[in-house]
Amino acid sequence: MEQFRKILASLSMRQRLTIVAAVAIVGAGLYSFSHWKTEADFKPLYTGLAAEDSAAVLQKLKESGTDYRLSPNGDVVSVPSGKLAELRLDLAAAGLPKTGRIGYEIFDKANLGATEFVEHINYTRALEGELERSLSALAEVEQARVHITFPKESVFLESREPAKASVMVKLKPGAHLSDRNVTAISHLIGSAVEGLSPDAVSILDMQGNLLSRAAATSPDEASSDAALDYRQKVEHDLLQKINTTLDPLLGHDRYRASVYVDCDLSSGEQSEETFDPAHSVMLQSQKTEEISGSSTAAGGIPGTASNLPRPAARAGSSGNSTTRRTENVTYQSSRITRTTKLPQGTLKRVSVALLMDQSVTWEGSGKSLHKVLVPPSPEMMKSVRDVLTAAIGFVEQRGDQITVESLPFEETLNQTPPETPGTTPPAHPAPSQWDALRKQPLFLPIATGAGVVLFAILAMLVLVTRRRRKKKRAAAVVEAAKSLPDKSAVAALSSANAAEQIQAQMAARELEQQQAEQEMLAAIKVPPVKTKKAEVLVKQLQENAKKDATSSARILQAWIHDKG
């Protein structure tokens, strides 16, 4: 401790301020790093909370004494990662969060003074809240809002209004609601509300896109959308067949195909009736027999005369008799009637466009090396066309069209020449551990703090070394005084020469110490330090050498003799 006080007392004011500033910077860096490390340990407990849910969650965290962080918007609550799972279970047991809407628990507390209007509003809020919870349970839905308009009853039919509902959904990142999901949501809302038809449910996303397209558009628009979807589906199926067929033959990246389909989406019935005159059949047959007249009892002599058509009148018979027979037969030719129902989506025309890549060859060597594009052979083009014809079910009478062309792709044009056996590819140095370390986010503050600490340590070492050098120089002066010539030699020399000798030895040793200090400071890249004492000694030595060169030479010879 005493040595540290001596070192501190030997420092100048500037050196003390430098050390204090370095320590302050290092302390601030360590504090910042510790604070950042502590803040990085906080993980989101809940995100997208409503204001009432955030207040309830913060109240529970304060009661439990848990440290927390709240986002500027108030919708994200973060807690230490070690307590994340435990806090979620505790809050779930307390029924938090409630997604900002109240369900049927609004009726848990009876309100005897509530009017019928208040009860109706509470029922609407409860039903909407329960539907929102049900929709939020879907895998694709992150948050939902439901608004219901109950039917308006009236004794007049024209004054009645059906029930309606609107739903706004916030999807999770990357999620998508298919038409089947939209239909399911419409039926879910319609089944939960009395008198609500699924067609009266409007579903929107957060971007304002109408998802329940079939129920919200007119029949003509719905038919157009269905036709477009059907055509795209047919094109996708044909393109999938082409890709599956040509991938083994050409390669996945060696061709591009496109398909266009013209569909007849009209539907109806067609009747055909055929008559065959060579074949006729009896359609109807009618026979009529009529007998009229009046007569008495038959009389006469039996025989031929009485059996004739118009027998002669005989005595004893009277009256007239009439008999009529009619037969009507109707014939009709044979007939064949056929009724055909025309299907919807009949293919009228199919067009396929195929673009094939070209291959690359290299000719020449060295600077004369150049690229040559080689298109596919006519045999290959014909084979590809035949394969396409069979894959799409080509019908020439229908007007189908297949176009096969060959052009170089962008990757082919930018292809570089292959490596020759005598050349080595340019070396790409692999990223070292030092490069990976420098990319770390904490590298800069840590490196800065370490540099400041190292600089402070080096400054302390320099100061301690200077003090040791001073002590050695004092000891060297004492030794130089002891190593002076004997009394006879001293007597022969004048006192001035002896003093000059001592000063010369001290100056020489001072120069030697300065050279050693400069070498040490150059090693640590610190500018050299020159003392006023050394400068004075050097000037005095130069003046003595100019006044008396002989004495100076003798002093140098004696110093060299002593060193030897």
Side-chain angles (χ1 to χ4, degrees):
M1 191 66 182
E2 186 66 25
Q3 185 178 3
F4 177 75
R5 290 178 181 175
K6 291 180 180 180
I7 294 174
L8 187 61
S10 63
L11 298 177
S12 62
M13 183 59 65
R14 179 178 297 179
Q15 293 172 344
R16 293 179 183 179
L17 293 177
T18 303
I19 294 175
V20 171
V23 173
I25 292 174
V26 172
L30 294 177
Y31 173 76
S32 300
F33 176 75
S34 176
H35 183 267
W36 175 86
K37 189 66 176 178
T38 304
E39 293 297 328
D41 187 56
F42 280 80
K43 301 297 181 182
L45 178 64
Y46 293 109
T47 59
L49 292 175
E52 53 268 28
D53 286 339
S54 297
V57 170
L58 292 183
Q59 182 65 28
K60 289 292 183 181
L61 294 178
K62 291 178 181 178
E63 293 176 358
S64 62
T66 304
D67 193 12
Y68 63 89
R69 298 290 185 271
L70 185 64
S71 65
N73 297 331
D75 57 347
V76 179
V77 179
S78 302
V79 296
S81 58
K83 299 182 179 180
L84 186 63
E86 180 181 358
L87 290 174
R88 283 182 178 176
L89 292 177
D90 294 341
L91 293 175
L96 294 175
K98 298 180 180 180
T99 66
R101 296 303 296 269
I102 301 176
Y104 285 123
E105 63 270 12
I106 194 174
F107 298 107
D108 293 343
K109 297 181 180 180
N111 188 2
L112 300 179
T115 61
E116 182 180 358
F117 176 76
V118 174
E119 291 292 339
H120 180 72
I121 295 299
N122 290 337
Y123 174 72
T124 304
R125 292 175 59 193
L127 183 58
E128 291 176 351
E130 292 294 336
L131 290 175
E132 289 176 4
R133 293 176 182 178
S134 300
L135 294 178
S136 299
L138 298 177
E140 295 83 1
V141 179
E142 180 178 351
Q143 189 178 0
R145 296 279 295 176
V146 179
H147 302 280
I148 299 175
T149 302
F150 288 96
K152 181 180 179 181
E153 301 294 340
S154 177
V155 295
F156 302 101
L157 295 178
E158 61 272 8
S159 300
R160 294 180 181 179
E161 295 182 3
K164 298 182 289 294
S166 59
V167 181
M168 181 174 288
V169 293
K170 180 181 180 181
L171 302 180
K172 295 180 179 179
H176 174 70
L177 285 180
S178 61
D179 294 339
R180 183 176 299 179
N181 300 136
V182 174
T183 305
I185 293 176
S186 301
H187 282 80
L188 173 66
I189 303 298
S191 301
V193 181
E194 183 180 0
L196 178 61
S197 173
D199 295 338
V201 179
S202 301
I203 303 176
L204 294 84
D205 59 7
M206 289 300 177
Q207 286 73 33
N209 300 322
L210 187 63
L211 302 180
S212 55
R213 179 179 57 189
T217 56
S218 61
D220 295 338
E221 293 178 352
S223 177
S224 300
D225 294 336
L228 180 61
D229 293 340
Y230 177 78
R231 184 172 67 84
Q232 291 178 350
K233 183 179 182 301
V234 174
E235 292 176 352
H236 180 269
D237 293 342
L238 290 178
L239 186 59
Q240 189 69 22
K241 290 181 179 179
I242 293 174
N243 293 335
T244 305
T245 305
L246 296 182
D247 277 351
L249 180 62
L250 301 178
H252 179 68
D253 297 330
R254 302 287 296 174
Y255 72 95
R256 295 292 184 272
S258 177
V259 179
Y260 173 78
V261 174
D262 187 8
C263 299
D264 185 8
L265 297 173
S266 60
S267 61
E269 293 184 358
Q270 181 179 3
S271 299
E272 182 181 0
E273 190 173 3
T274 305
F275 293 92
D276 187 3
H279 299 81
S280 60
V281 295
M282 182 177 63
L283 183 64
Q284 185 178 5
S285 177
Q286 183 178 3
K287 293 182 179 180
T288 304
E289 183 176 358
E290 181 180 354
I291 300 175
S292 61
S294 60
S295 62
T296 59
I301 301 171
T304 302
S306 60
N307 291 329
L308 291 176
R310 293 180 181 180
R314 294 181 178 85
S317 62
S318 62
N320 298 323
S321 64
T322 303
T323 302
R324 182 188 303 172
R325 293 181 179 179
T326 305
E327 184 175 357
N328 187 10
V329 180
T330 304
Y331 293 91
Q332 187 175 4
S333 301
S334 61
R335 181 179 60 179
I336 299 175
T337 303
R338 294 186 179 90
T339 302
T340 304
K341 186 176 181 180
L342 300 178
Q344 187 178 12
T346 305
L347 295 182
K348 297 174 62 178
R349 183 168 59 90
V350 179
S351 299
V352 179
L354 182 69
L355 182 61
M356 298 174 58
D357 193 10
Q358 298 181 1
S359 58
V360 177
T361 60
W362 299 90
E363 296 183 357
S365 60
K367 295 183 179 179
S368 61
L369 184 65
H370 61 280
K371 182 190 306 182
V372 178
L373 298 175
V374 181
S377 61
E379 292 79 7
M380 174 63 73
M381 302 281 284
K382 183 178 182 304
S383 300
V384 171
R385 183 182 293 273
D386 294 341
V387 169
L388 288 177
T389 301
I392 67 172
F394 182 82
V395 179
E396 186 176 2
Q397 293 77 9
R398 192 172 55 189
D400 295 351
Q401 182 181 4
I402 296 178
T403 302
V404 180
E405 296 291 341
S406 175
L407 290 173
F409 290 178
E410 185 69 19
E411 296 179 358
T412 303
L413 295 175
N414 297 333
Q415 188 174 353
T416 58
E419 300 176 2
T420 57
T423 60
T424 57
H428 297 281
S432 61
Q433 295 182 356
W434 174 252
D435 295 334
L437 182 62
R438 288 191 304 173
K439 295 180 180 179
Q440 297 297 327
L442 298 179
F443 173 76
L444 184 58
I446 294 177
T448 304
V452 172
V453 173
L454 181 60
F455 178 77
I457 294 174
L458 290 177
M460 294 292 293
L461 290 176
V462 169
L463 295 175
V464 172
T465 304
R466 289 183 60 187
R467 290 185 59 85
R468 291 180 179 178
R469 294 294 182 183
K470 288 181 180 180
K471 291 181 180 180
K472 289 182 179 181
R473 284 198 298 270
V477 171
V478 176
E479 291 179 359
K482 293 180 180 180
S483 62
L484 289 175
D486 51 4
K487 294 181 179 180
S488 59
V490 174
L493 295 174
S494 62
S495 59
N497 292 337
E500 291 175 358
Q501 184 179 3
I502 293 174
Q503 291 179 356
Q505 290 181 358
M506 292 178 62
R509 292 185 182 275
E510 186 71 20
L511 291 175
E512 183 182 358
Q513 297 297 332
Q514 289 182 5
Q515 185 178 3
E517 289 179 0
Q518 290 177 0
E519 291 176 357
M520 183 183 66
L521 294 175
I524 62 175
K525 296 182 180 180
V526 178
V529 180
K530 294 183 179 180
T531 60
K532 294 182 178 180
K533 184 178 179 181
E535 295 178 355
V536 172
L537 291 175
V538 171
K539 290 181 179 179
Q540 187 176 359
L541 184 61
Q542 291 176 354
E543 292 177 358
N544 292 334
K546 291 180 180 179
K547 293 179 180 179
D548 192 357
T550 304
S551 299
S552 300
R554 290 176 182 177
I555 293 172
L556 291 176
Q557 289 177 0
W559 179 75
I560 294 173
H561 177 73
D562 293 340
K563 296 296 285 183

